[in-house]
Amino acid sequence: MPYGTGALRDPPRVRAFDPAAVTGRRLTPPAPGGPAQLWLLHAGRHRAAVARAAPEVLDAGERARAAALRVPADRECYLATHLGLRLLLGAYLGVRPARVPLTRRACPLCGGPHGRPGVAGDPLHYSLSHSGGLGLLAFAAVPVGADVEAVPAPDAVAEAADVLHPRERDELALLPPSARPPAFARAWVRKEAYLKGLGVGLARAPSSLYAGTGAEPAGTDGAWRLTDVPVGRGAAGAVAERVDPEPHGRRDGTVRTAR
């Protein structure tokens, strides 16, 4: 079958998020058949806006989860990204951000209430991720998954290598030590984006999936399109978009892409 990767498409457009630019505005939702709309948020740039708006916009559960984060930078990034999510959903849907009806689908593996997050009625689909002061938000007319991660330190790569597919571990071993952290990050965000799009998250072993460590993603199964997202130096990002109603991976643990 034809084999393609997200890297063969035009790089996805990533918009810079600014709370002031979206508050009180209407945005055109992503169109069926069109690409996901992506937003990149730098948490440190919006401290004043977050401090002012988060207590009124975020619900009690979101505020409690933020308060439970012990590292201040993690808490700041969580609050900024979740505030950004509600502001953008409000702008897409034409409702007050605090009243966006966020839901969780059932997990496709166990049926528990911890599957892919969404909006009641599925007027659009979204995914969000935050790491290292960055937040990545994806919105689409189809199920979507997004992930952003800071490039890890070399010792962290060595400790976490068992989360990679055997082929990815072999690829990493062939690289010079300085090239391994960004290669690891590329593989990891591709896996996370795909698994989040499926709604299973890390309940499915990341090591069972081959997404590749190279400059081009190896892809996902034929029902999904996987694309690397440019998020700046020191981090990696990826988005997975559903393109076919029957997402079934191959039993050998490799993953395919659709053109």
mmCIF file of all heavy atoms in Angstrom, residues 102-126:
data_model
loop_
_atom_site.group_PDB
_atom_site.id
_atom_site.type_symbol
_atom_site.label_atom_id
_atom_site.label_comp_id
_atom_site.label_asym_id
_atom_site.label_seq_id
_atom_site.Cartn_x
_atom_site.Cartn_y
_atom_site.Cartn_z
ATOM 1 N N LEU A 102 -17.400 20.276 29.475
ATOM 2 C CA LEU A 102 -16.349 19.296 29.248
ATOM 3 C C LEU A 102 -16.794 17.918 29.742
ATOM 4 O O LEU A 102 -17.443 17.795 30.782
ATOM 5 C CB LEU A 102 -15.067 19.717 29.971
ATOM 6 C CG LEU A 102 -14.461 21.060 29.541
ATOM 7 C CD1 LEU A 102 -13.205 21.350 30.355
ATOM 8 C CD2 LEU A 102 -14.152 21.077 28.050
ATOM 9 N N THR A 103 -16.429 16.899 28.981
ATOM 10 C CA THR A 103 -16.815 15.534 29.327
ATOM 11 C C THR A 103 -15.623 14.600 29.125
ATOM 12 O O THR A 103 -14.568 14.999 28.635
ATOM 13 C CB THR A 103 -17.972 15.035 28.441
ATOM 14 O OG1 THR A 103 -17.526 14.986 27.072
ATOM 15 C CG2 THR A 103 -19.174 15.947 28.549
ATOM 16 N N ARG A 104 -15.823 13.342 29.489
ATOM 17 C CA ARG A 104 -14.856 12.275 29.217
ATOM 18 C C ARG A 104 -15.599 11.113 28.577
ATOM 19 O O ARG A 104 -16.633 10.687 29.075
ATOM 20 C CB ARG A 104 -14.200 11.778 30.512
ATOM 21 C CG ARG A 104 -13.071 12.631 31.002
ATOM 22 C CD ARG A 104 -11.762 12.195 30.378
ATOM 23 N NE ARG A 104 -10.644 12.944 30.917
ATOM 24 C CZ ARG A 104 -9.376 12.787 30.537
ATOM 25 N NH1 ARG A 104 -9.087 11.875 29.618
ATOM 26 N NH2 ARG A 104 -8.422 13.511 31.055
ATOM 27 N N ARG A 105 -15.066 10.599 27.487
ATOM 28 C CA ARG A 105 -15.627 9.388 26.890
ATOM 29 C C ARG A 105 -15.220 8.178 27.718
ATOM 30 O O ARG A 105 -14.245 8.234 28.484
ATOM 31 C CB ARG A 105 -15.124 9.217 25.462
ATOM 32 C CG ARG A 105 -15.778 10.151 24.448
ATOM 33 C CD ARG A 105 -15.205 9.909 23.067
ATOM 34 N NE ARG A 105 -15.951 10.635 22.057
ATOM 35 C CZ ARG A 105 -16.962 10.124 21.382
ATOM 36 N NH1 ARG A 105 -17.353 8.874 21.615
ATOM 37 N NH2 ARG A 105 -17.591 10.830 20.462
ATOM 38 N N ALA A 106 -15.922 7.093 27.541
ATOM 39 C CA ALA A 106 -15.532 5.850 28.183
ATOM 40 C C ALA A 106 -14.234 5.342 27.570
ATOM 41 O O ALA A 106 -13.993 5.487 26.366
ATOM 42 C CB ALA A 106 -16.628 4.811 28.014
ATOM 43 N N CYS A 107 -13.395 4.751 28.388
ATOM 44 C CA CYS A 107 -12.149 4.167 27.901
ATOM 45 C C CYS A 107 -12.484 2.997 26.971
ATOM 46 O O CYS A 107 -13.245 2.103 27.357
ATOM 47 C CB CYS A 107 -11.303 3.678 29.074
ATOM 48 S SG CYS A 107 -9.836 2.736 28.578
ATOM 49 N N PRO A 108 -11.927 2.966 25.759
ATOM 50 C CA PRO A 108 -12.241 1.856 24.852
ATOM 51 C C PRO A 108 -11.653 0.523 25.285
ATOM 52 O O PRO A 108 -12.030 -0.516 24.764
ATOM 53 C CB PRO A 108 -11.647 2.318 23.508
ATOM 54 C CG PRO A 108 -10.619 3.322 23.868
ATOM 55 C CD PRO A 108 -11.084 3.983 25.120
ATOM 56 N N LEU A 109 -10.749 0.527 26.268
ATOM 57 C CA LEU A 109 -10.150 -0.716 26.746
ATOM 58 C C LEU A 109 -10.929 -1.328 27.899
ATOM 59 O O LEU A 109 -11.157 -2.539 27.928
ATOM 60 C CB LEU A 109 -8.699 -0.478 27.166
ATOM 61 C CG LEU A 109 -7.715 -0.079 26.058
ATOM 62 C CD1 LEU A 109 -6.327 0.101 26.634
ATOM 63 C CD2 LEU A 109 -7.701 -1.117 24.941
ATOM 64 N N CYS A 110 -11.346 -0.472 28.863
ATOM 65 C CA CYS A 110 -11.988 -1.014 30.060
ATOM 66 C C CYS A 110 -13.385 -0.465 30.304
ATOM 67 O O CYS A 110 -14.092 -0.938 31.197
ATOM 68 C CB CYS A 110 -11.120 -0.764 31.281
ATOM 69 S SG CYS A 110 -11.038 0.981 31.761
ATOM 70 N N GLY A 111 -13.789 0.559 29.550
ATOM 71 C CA GLY A 111 -15.106 1.144 29.746
ATOM 72 C C GLY A 111 -15.179 2.164 30.864
ATOM 73 O O GLY A 111 -16.242 2.730 31.105
ATOM 74 N N GLY A 112 -14.061 2.418 31.563
ATOM 75 C CA GLY A 112 -14.057 3.386 32.648
ATOM 76 C C GLY A 112 -14.169 4.809 32.140
ATOM 77 O O GLY A 112 -13.933 5.085 30.958
ATOM 78 N N PRO A 113 -14.513 5.760 33.032
ATOM 79 C CA PRO A 113 -14.756 7.147 32.618
ATOM 80 C C PRO A 113 -13.480 7.967 32.482
ATOM 81 O O PRO A 113 -13.387 9.094 32.987
ATOM 82 C CB PRO A 113 -15.644 7.667 33.754
ATOM 83 C CG PRO A 113 -15.144 6.931 34.960
ATOM 84 C CD PRO A 113 -14.783 5.547 34.465
ATOM 85 N N HIS A 114 -12.487 7.421 31.827
ATOM 86 C CA HIS A 114 -11.213 8.126 31.697
ATOM 87 C C HIS A 114 -10.679 8.031 30.275
ATOM 88 O O HIS A 114 -9.477 7.981 30.048
ATOM 89 C CB HIS A 114 -10.187 7.551 32.682
ATOM 90 C CG HIS A 114 -10.111 6.055 32.667
ATOM 91 N ND1 HIS A 114 -10.726 5.284 33.621
ATOM 92 C CD2 HIS A 114 -9.537 5.183 31.802
ATOM 93 C CE1 HIS A 114 -10.514 4.003 33.350
ATOM 94 N NE2 HIS A 114 -9.803 3.915 32.244
ATOM 95 N N GLY A 115 -11.590 8.011 29.301
ATOM 96 C CA GLY A 115 -11.188 7.985 27.902
ATOM 97 C C GLY A 115 -10.847 9.376 27.398
ATOM 98 O O GLY A 115 -10.502 10.274 28.162
ATOM 99 N N ARG A 116 -10.966 9.550 26.082
ATOM 100 C CA ARG A 116 -10.595 10.816 25.454
ATOM 101 C C ARG A 116 -11.481 11.943 25.971
ATOM 102 O O ARG A 116 -12.705 11.818 26.008
ATOM 103 C CB ARG A 116 -10.724 10.680 23.933
ATOM 104 C CG ARG A 116 -10.187 11.873 23.148
ATOM 105 C CD ARG A 116 -10.184 11.597 21.655
ATOM 106 N NE ARG A 116 -11.528 11.336 21.170
ATOM 107 C CZ ARG A 116 -11.906 10.185 20.639
ATOM 108 N NH1 ARG A 116 -11.064 9.184 20.540
ATOM 109 N NH2 ARG A 116 -13.146 10.017 20.216
ATOM 110 N N PRO A 117 -10.900 13.085 26.365
ATOM 111 C CA PRO A 117 -11.721 14.215 26.799
ATOM 112 C C PRO A 117 -12.448 14.838 25.623
ATOM 113 O O PRO A 117 -12.005 14.742 24.470
ATOM 114 C CB PRO A 117 -10.694 15.184 27.404
ATOM 115 C CG PRO A 117 -9.417 14.867 26.696
ATOM 116 C CD PRO A 117 -9.455 13.385 26.451
ATOM 117 N N GLY A 118 -13.567 15.471 25.901
ATOM 118 C CA GLY A 118 -14.337 16.074 24.826
ATOM 119 C C GLY A 118 -15.312 17.105 25.347
ATOM 120 O O GLY A 118 -15.280 17.503 26.518
ATOM 121 N N VAL A 119 -16.203 17.528 24.456
ATOM 122 C CA VAL A 119 -17.259 18.477 24.773
ATOM 123 C C VAL A 119 -18.593 17.767 24.572
ATOM 124 O O VAL A 119 -18.763 17.029 23.592
ATOM 125 C CB VAL A 119 -17.174 19.720 23.859
ATOM 126 C CG1 VAL A 119 -18.278 20.717 24.198
ATOM 127 C CG2 VAL A 119 -15.801 20.383 23.989
ATOM 128 N N ALA A 120 -19.529 17.956 25.471
ATOM 129 C CA ALA A 120 -20.829 17.297 25.378
ATOM 130 C C ALA A 120 -21.462 17.545 24.010
ATOM 131 O O ALA A 120 -21.519 18.685 23.538
ATOM 132 C CB ALA A 120 -21.747 17.808 26.490
ATOM 133 N N GLY A 121 -21.904 16.474 23.365
ATOM 134 C CA GLY A 121 -22.512 16.586 22.050
ATOM 135 C C GLY A 121 -21.517 16.523 20.909
ATOM 136 O O GLY A 121 -21.921 16.496 19.743
ATOM 137 N N ASP A 122 -20.225 16.530 21.201
ATOM 138 C CA ASP A 122 -19.169 16.460 20.188
ATOM 139 C C ASP A 122 -19.326 17.496 19.077
ATOM 140 O O ASP A 122 -19.246 17.177 17.886
ATOM 141 C CB ASP A 122 -19.113 15.060 19.560
ATOM 142 C CG ASP A 122 -18.541 14.020 20.511
ATOM 143 O OD1 ASP A 122 -17.815 14.419 21.438
ATOM 144 O OD2 ASP A 122 -18.820 12.829 20.319
ATOM 145 N N PRO A 123 -19.508 18.794 19.418
ATOM 146 C CA PRO A 123 -19.542 19.800 18.355
ATOM 147 C C PRO A 123 -18.186 19.958 17.671
ATOM 148 O O PRO A 123 -18.108 20.414 16.534
ATOM 149 C CB PRO A 123 -19.950 21.080 19.089
ATOM 150 C CG PRO A 123 -19.479 20.844 20.506
ATOM 151 C CD PRO A 123 -19.668 19.385 20.752
ATOM 152 N N LEU A 124 -17.116 19.602 18.380
ATOM 153 C CA LEU A 124 -15.774 19.499 17.834
ATOM 154 C C LEU A 124 -14.951 18.657 18.800
ATOM 155 O O LEU A 124 -15.369 18.383 19.921
ATOM 156 C CB LEU A 124 -15.126 20.860 17.598
ATOM 157 C CG LEU A 124 -14.489 21.601 18.773
ATOM 158 C CD1 LEU A 124 -13.686 22.785 18.259
ATOM 159 C CD2 LEU A 124 -15.502 22.071 19.768
ATOM 160 N N HIS A 125 -13.790 18.237 18.356
ATOM 161 C CA HIS A 125 -12.910 17.405 19.174
ATOM 162 C C HIS A 125 -11.656 18.205 19.524
ATOM 163 O O HIS A 125 -11.250 19.099 18.769
ATOM 164 C CB HIS A 125 -12.527 16.134 18.427
ATOM 165 C CG HIS A 125 -13.697 15.267 18.079
ATOM 166 N ND1 HIS A 125 -14.121 14.221 18.880
ATOM 167 C CD2 HIS A 125 -14.554 15.302 17.019
ATOM 168 C CE1 HIS A 125 -15.167 13.642 18.329
ATOM 169 N NE2 HIS A 125 -15.457 14.267 17.202
ATOM 170 N N TYR A 126 -11.058 17.866 20.657
ATOM 171 C CA TYR A 126 -9.848 18.584 21.045
ATOM 172 C C TYR A 126 -8.901 17.651 21.783
ATOM 173 O O TYR A 126 -9.261 16.567 22.259
ATOM 174 C CB TYR A 126 -10.187 19.781 21.936
ATOM 175 C CG TYR A 126 -10.553 19.420 23.357
ATOM 176 C CD1 TYR A 126 -9.573 19.250 24.328
ATOM 177 C CD2 TYR A 126 -11.881 19.250 23.744
ATOM 178 C CE1 TYR A 126 -9.898 18.905 25.636
ATOM 179 C CE2 TYR A 126 -12.216 18.916 25.032
ATOM 180 C CZ TYR A 126 -11.219 18.740 25.982
ATOM 181 O OH TYR A 126 -11.535 18.396 27.267
#
